[in-house]
């Protein structure tokens, strides 16, 4: 007889299988502008966001006086449409550059 802990684990695994490929895990196609930052392959949304953050950090694009603010370089200006955005606005602009 399965314990409550085993049943909960089985339920979690079944949910994980059901959710893979949907929502934030659904593969999306980056636009050419966003592709310059994250690559042109289809990626899950979560991976797109991770790659954008890696790009921001590796290019030192966070405002040193306000880490919530992203200072766009030429590649990110094409995605954001302006020189700087907050980390909270960033997802809105990225969403406009991905297709399911």
């Amino acid at each position: 007889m399965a314990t409550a802990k085993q049943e909960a684990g089985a339920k979690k695994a079944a949910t994980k299988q059901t959710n893979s490929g949907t929502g934030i895990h659904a593969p999306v196609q980056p636009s050419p502008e966003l592709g310059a930052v994250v690559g042109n392959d289809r990626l899950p949304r979560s991976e797109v966001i991770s790659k954008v953050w890696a790009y921001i950090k590796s290019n030192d694009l966070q405002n040193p006086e306000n880490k919530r603010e992203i200072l766009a370089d030429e590649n990110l200006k094409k995605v954001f449409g302006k020189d700087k955005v907050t980390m909270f606005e960033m997802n809105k602009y990225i969403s406009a550059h991905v297709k399911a």
Side-chain angles (χ1 to χ4, degrees):
M1 189 153 141
T3 66
K5 190 174 184 178
Q6 289 171 327
E7 288 176 9
K11 185 176 180 182
K12 185 176 181 181
T15 302
K16 193 172 189 177
Q17 284 179 340
T18 304
N19 289 340
S20 63
T22 61
I24 197 164
H25 303 289
V28 293
Q29 181 64 52
S31 69
E33 296 82 9
L34 183 57
V37 176
V38 301
N40 293 312
D41 295 335
R42 290 179 63 82
L43 299 165
R45 287 180 190 270
S46 57
E47 188 68 23
V48 170
I49 300 301
S50 293
K51 286 187 176 225
V52 169
W53 270 110
Y55 180 86
I56 289 166
K57 290 180 185 232
S58 68
N59 290 288
D60 199 28
L61 298 176
Q62 280 182 283
N63 182 344
E65 295 169 10
N66 180 359
K67 295 284 189 180
R68 292 177 292 186
E69 195 171 65
I70 310 305
L71 306 174
D73 65 0
E74 289 305 312
N75 287 330
L76 287 178
K77 281 181 190 175
K78 293 175 186 173
V79 175
F80 299 153
K82 52 188 188 176
D83 292 337
K84 60 184 175 178
V85 298
T86 67
M87 62 198 305
F88 306 109
E89 296 174 302
M90 188 175 73
N91 287 338
K92 173 177 72 172
Y93 295 109
I94 291 171
S95 291
H97 282 271
V98 295
K99 284 193 274 187

